[in-house]
Each structure stands twice: as structure tokens, then as C-alpha cells.
Amino acid sequence: MALIVYAHPHPTRSRANRALLAAVRDLEGVEVRSLYDLYPDFDIDVAAEQAALLAHDLIVWQHPLYWYSVPGMLKHWFDKVLARGFAYGGGAQELAGKRCLWVSTSGGDEEAFSERGFHEHPFSAFVAPVAQTARFCKMHWLEPIAVHGAHSMSDGALTEHAERYRDRLVELTRERSEEDA
């Protein structure tokens, strides 16, 4: 039921994203597509990615925040996979009504994402482009999950974030199952 489109250019160096994925990978109906593993040459199999999107009703975009946005591979995936006639335009309805959850990690702590912090803006200032991508495809945008301070977070805090992520996916898949019943 849930497709996790995972985009981390250096997955073995990301303790936070590894912990998040480990917490949800075993859930029934969850498929993980690790873009940097699948497409090291950036030659995306558009048909396979679109088929994966069609097979799931919950789409999760999980990645570290890179230059206040998504990593290059995920942006490339957006450009290729969310094509006109499939995701938007010309009456495209393929993704309409699918739920979209954004899960992002950042090295900066919550204070860094404030008007007085290092980044001079709250994290919410960086949500709009990703949210609008989903909305442009007629997807239902869900409240994102942001894990800040990934570089310095304690193991206990990271475990709590991973458990909350798991609980959220379980809740979202349960809601859909109840709607379908």
C-alpha cells in the first residue's frame, strides 16, 4: 500500500535515514525504491517507476534535505516520472487522490531552522516546492515528517523518531484499509 521513494546519495553514511527505513521496511505492503541504488547512472526506468506509483495509494518521498530541497536524483525522478499525460495535464488522473508523505532529515537542529537560526527561515519555508509538486499531480498532501539534527541526535532520540515514523505509516495504511472496507 505504501511506496517509499528513497533518495540518499550516500545511504551508508546516513544513520538517520537508515534508522527510519529499518523501522518501516518490514511493514506489510511497503515497497522501498532506493533511487541511487537502482539508477547509479541516473538512467531512470520511467515505466517501472510509474507502475510502482500506480500500484500504491500512499507515496512517501524520503530523503535528506539538500540545498533546501530534494537531492538531485529525486529532482531528476520528478522530471522524468511525473510526466505530462501521466501525472498532470491532458486530463491525467493517474496520481489523483493518492496520498503523499514527505519524510526529510536535516543536519541542522530545529533552532537552525528559525528566523534567528543559521538558515534564517523556519523549515516550513522549504516545504512549498515539494508540497506543490504533489498537489500539481492532484495528490493529497499530508503533514510532513522532519527529523532535524540528524548528525548529532542521540541513539534514543533517533529510535523515537523511527518509531513515530513507523506508527504514522501504520496509521495511514490502517485508515485506507478502513475506508476500503
Side-chain angles (χ1 to χ4, degrees):
M1 294 183 74
L3 174 66
I4 299 174
V5 179
Y6 178 59
H8 197 303
H10 309 288
T12 59
R13 294 191 304 205
S14 175
R15 135 182 192 271
N17 274 286
R18 277 195 325 265
L20 293 173
L21 276 181
V24 299
R25 197 180 278 276
D26 68 332
L27 291 174
E28 185 177 339
V30 169
E31 178 184 353
V32 177
R33 296 190 63 79
S34 180
L35 299 183
Y36 282 91
D37 290 331
L38 289 169
Y39 308 113
D41 58 1
F42 274 57
D43 188 17
I44 293 174
D45 182 341
V46 173
E49 295 303 313
Q50 289 178 343
L53 286 169
L54 293 174
H56 298 83
D57 62 272
L58 172 61
I59 310 304
V60 179
W61 294 329
Q62 181 182 333
H63 62 85
L65 192 66
Y66 261 58
W67 291 106
Y68 308 105
S69 186
V70 301
M73 175 64 87
L74 186 54
K75 174 61 170 89
H76 183 58
W77 185 91
F78 287 164
D79 292 344
K80 294 293 188 181
V81 176
L82 303 180
R84 180 173 175 73
F86 173 78
Y88 72 93
Q93 295 290 317
E94 303 297 345
L95 302 179
K98 291 185 183 283
R99 297 165 301 153
C100 185
L101 175 64
W102 185 35
V103 178
S104 182
T105 61
S106 69
D109 62 17
E110 288 187 51
E111 176 59 27
F113 288 95
S114 68
E115 290 181 12
R116 295 175 192 228
F118 181 78
H119 301 292
E120 300 178 355
H121 296 282
F123 182 77
S124 60
F126 307 108
V127 172
V130 181
Q132 191 57 28
T133 298
R135 290 184 180 121
F136 193 72
C137 298
K138 298 183 182 92
M139 298 170 78
H140 176 72
W141 179 252
L142 302 171
E143 184 68 29
I145 295 172
V147 178
H148 298 297
H151 298 309
S152 59
M153 182 177 295
S154 72
D155 290 342
L158 184 54
T159 298
E160 287 178 25
H161 281 287
E163 289 172 358
R164 281 196 294 266
Y165 179 29
R166 182 182 178 89
D167 292 345
R168 182 90 181 274
L169 283 188
V170 167
E171 174 189 338
L172 289 168
T173 54
R174 184 179 307 127
E175 286 174 4
R176 183 59 72 172
S177 295
E178 289 172 2
E179 289 173 10
D180 292 343

